[in-house]
Amino acid sequence: MTTIAILGNGRVGGSLATALTQAGHEVTVADRTPGAATDAARTAQIVINATPGAGSLDRLVALREELRDKILVDVSNATVDGPDGLPAHLIYPGSSLAEQLQEALPETRVVKTLNTMLFPVMTAPATLTQAPDAFLSGDDPQAKQTVRELLINLGWRKEWITDLGGIQTARATEAAILFVPHVMRSSGFAPFAISIAR
C-alpha cells in the first residue's frame, strides 16, 4: 500500500482516486479548501497533479517543502483553451509543464504520464478496442518504476507502458493534447488514447 495525495478533485482526480483506492492504496484528494493541498502533500509518499495545467506550476511551487524528496506524477497538460473550451495552444511551447515543474522543484522526482488520453481511459485502458499506450517521462529511473507499478494497478499491461526517457520527452506527449479538440469535433466525446501501432 502506498500513501497517495491527489491534487485536484475534478473528473481526472476523482476517477484516479477511486481506482487507486480500489487497488489498495491510501488516497487523499485535496480540493481548493485552504491548506488542503499542503496537508495532503505533506503526509503522502506520492503526489499526483490533476489540477488544471494552466495554474499547476504556481500551485505546486507553493508546495516546494511538502514535495521535497517525493515523487510527483504529473498528468496535466498546460494549454490555453479556445472559445469552445477545448485546448487551443500550449502554454510552454518548446518546453512542457513537466519540465517547468522539474526545474522549479529540483528536489522532487517528476514523472509525466497519462496525459495523452481522455480521462476515462486512465483507469480503464482495457475498455478500448485497440491497445493504448501510456508514456513515461522522467529523469529518475526508480521513480518511473514506481509509477509504472501504479499504472499496472490501474489496469495497464506492461507492454502498454512505454518509457520515453528523460523529462524533456514530456514536451512531445504534452504537444499531443493538440490532437484532442480535432478528434472530439470529429467523433464526439468518446474515450480514446494516443497509441503507437507496432
Side-chain angles (χ1 to χ4, degrees):
M1 182 186 74
T2 304
T3 304
I4 300 171
I6 298 178
L7 309 184
N9 63 343
R11 294 177 296 185
V12 173
S15 62
L16 287 171
T18 298
L20 289 168
T21 299
Q22 290 172 346
H25 299 288
E26 182 180 333
V27 180
T28 302
V29 180
D31 56 21
R32 290 181 177 269
T33 304
T38 302
D39 293 341
R42 182 181 294 121
T43 58
Q45 296 166 288
I46 296 174
V47 177
I48 298 176
N49 175 40
T51 65
S56 289
L57 186 59
D58 290 341
R59 288 189 188 99
L60 292 165
V61 167
L63 300 173
R64 182 189 308 275
E65 289 305 313
E66 290 77 14
L67 293 171
R68 187 187 303 274
D69 298 324
K70 305 220 174 138
I71 295 173
L72 174 62
V73 183
D74 180 30
V75 303
S76 295
N77 290 300
T79 60
V80 174
D81 291 342
D84 57 1
L86 297 175
H89 60 84
L90 302 173
I91 291 178
Y92 305 111
S95 182
S96 63
L97 173 59
E99 289 173 90
Q100 298 295 312
L101 288 169
Q102 188 62 86
E103 182 177 356
L105 302 167
E107 296 180 69
T108 301
R109 294 172 290 164
V110 179
V111 179
K112 188 80 177 192
T113 193
L114 294 179
N115 63 310
T116 55
M117 61 201 70
L118 291 192
F119 78 91
V121 181
M122 295 179 177
T123 57
T127 59
L128 297 182
T129 57
Q130 298 169 222
D133 277 278
F135 302 103
L136 295 172
S137 298
D139 292 334
D140 187 290
Q142 186 176 2
K144 284 192 286 188
Q145 179 57 36
T146 299
V147 175
R148 180 186 295 272
E149 291 165 6
L150 281 184
L151 293 179
I152 291 170
N153 289 165
L154 292 173
W156 289 85
R157 297 181 187 173
K158 292 180 181 179
E159 63 268 25
W160 296 350
I161 303 170
T162 301
D163 185 344
L164 295 178
I167 198 67
Q168 77 279 359
T169 64
R171 67 183 64 177
T173 61
E174 287 191 29
I177 190 65
L178 298 180
F179 276 104
V180 170
H182 308 299
V183 173
M184 290 179 66
R185 291 184 192 109
S186 173
S187 57
F189 193 80
F192 72 90
I194 304 244
S195 63
I196 307 299
R198 294 179 177 87

